[in-house]
Amino acid sequence: MQVFGSSGTRGVANEELTPAFVLRVAKAAGTAWGVDRVGLARDTRYTGRMLADAAASGLASTGTDVDRLGILPTPGAQAYAERERIPVMVITASHNPPQYNGVKLVGSDGIELAITDLEEIENVLLAEAFDVASWDETGRVREVDGVRASYIDELLAAADYETISDAELTVALDPGHGAGALTSPEFLRELGCRVVTVNGQPDGHFPGRDPEPVPDNLEDLGELVRATDADVGIAHDGDADRAIFFDETGEYVEGDATLAALAAAELEAGDTTVSAVNVSQRLVDVVTEVGADLELTPIGSTNIITRIEELEANGERVPIAGEGNGGIFFPDFRLSRDGAFTAARFLELVAERPVSEIVAPYGGYANVRHNVAYESTAERDAMLDAAANHAQSADAELNTRDGYRLDYGDAWVLARPSGTEPLVRVYAEARNRERADELADEMFETLTEAKAEV
C-alpha cells in the first residue's frame, strides 16, 4: 500500500499530513464505506481539531452524517464503533512525536480495518473516485456527549473489580498528556486504586514528555513511583492503546516481560498467540513451556489483527496477542489494543504479588533499539540493501517476513523500515547486554555507512 502503513497513515502535520490530504482520505473512506453515519474522534494533539474539521467536511461531502466524539482514546473510539455499529475515523499519531498526526480507520465491528479494506479505500483515494452528494444531501455533523463515560463503564464491567479493589493498590500513572488523561485516572480510581499522576493534563504540545512510552521519556514516572511508594507505575502513549509498567521500586519493566507475564497467565496448552517478527524470546519461552503455538506477523497492529481473525475463523483459541511495545490484545474482550484494559489485567496480577516478582521469571534478556533517520527513498533503499547484504553474509538464520531478522541461536537482530516514520529501526536481543549491543551496533554501522554513501 502506498498510503496506509502498519497502523494507519501518519506524517508531520500541515507539511506531509495536511488538511487537504485528510479531507481526501475522509472522502475516500466515506465513499468506500457507503454508510449513513460515521464516528470521528481525535487525541489531544495540537493539530487534532484542525484535521478533524477537515475529516468531518470530507465525510459530509459524500453524504455521510458525522458523530463528533471529541478527544477519546483509540480503544474508546473502537468501543463506540462496536456499540453503534458504525465505522469510525480517529485523528491520531499514537506514539509519534508532537509534530506528527495521522488517521486510523476502524470498522463497524470496532476493529481496525484489515489490509484488504484499507486497500479498497486507498484505491478510491488514489483514483479520486469520490462520491459527491448534492448540496441538499450532504451529511450533517453533530457533537456526541458522554462517550468517554460510556467507555469507562465498559472497562469497569470487563475488569475484575473485586480482586483489584480488595488489594488497595497505589498506582502512579503517566498518561503523557494524551487522550488517556481524560479516562484512565477515573477508571483506575473507580477500580478502588489510589491514583497519583504525572503529565496528567491533556496538552497537545506534550510539554512533560514525548508521547512514546520508552524509558528515556519516563524518568518522571519512576521518580513518582518511588516518591509515593506506589505498587506500580503505568504509562500510556498519545492515544492510550498501549500500557507500559514500572515495578514497585520505580524500575522500568520491559514491555516484552509484561507481555510474557500476561501470556503465562492467559495461555493454556493448545492455544495460539500472535506476535510480530521482533518477538522476544521471553514470549517464545512461555509458549514452549505452556504447550501453546506462536504465530508471527510483520510488525503493526493491522497485521496482527488480520492473523488473529484468520486463526479464530479456523476455530483456534487466541486469548492474548500483541507486541512488546505495550500494545496487547485480549480478543475475548475486544480485538483492539487497549492501554487501560491492559493495565487492569496487569493489576489483577499485582493484587497477588509485587510487580518485580511477576516479571522476575522473564528477565535474563537485554534489548537494544536504534533508529536511523532518512531523508529520501534513496537513503532508505540503500540502507535496506546494505541490511540484505549483511544478512546474506551472516552465520545466522534469516527471516524476511518484515525486514531482515537474523537469529543466531543465542541472540537475534532485526532491521526494518518503520511503518509510521522516516526511520529504519534496529532491534537486538541477547542474554547479556554486551552481546545485544554488539549485534545492534554492527547493524547500525552497516546502515549508517550505506546511508552516507548516497
Side-chain angles (χ1 to χ4, degrees), residues 321-335:
E323 300 174 89
N325 60 10
I328 299 178
F329 296 87
F330 295 90
D332 289 343
F333 169 61
R334 179 176 291 113
L335 194 48

Side-chain angles (χ1 to χ4, degrees), residues 267-273 287 290-293 315-319:
L267 289 172
E268 299 177 357
D271 288 344
T272 302
T273 187
V287 168
V290 170
D293 293 319
E316 304 232 15
R317 181 174 179 267
V318 186

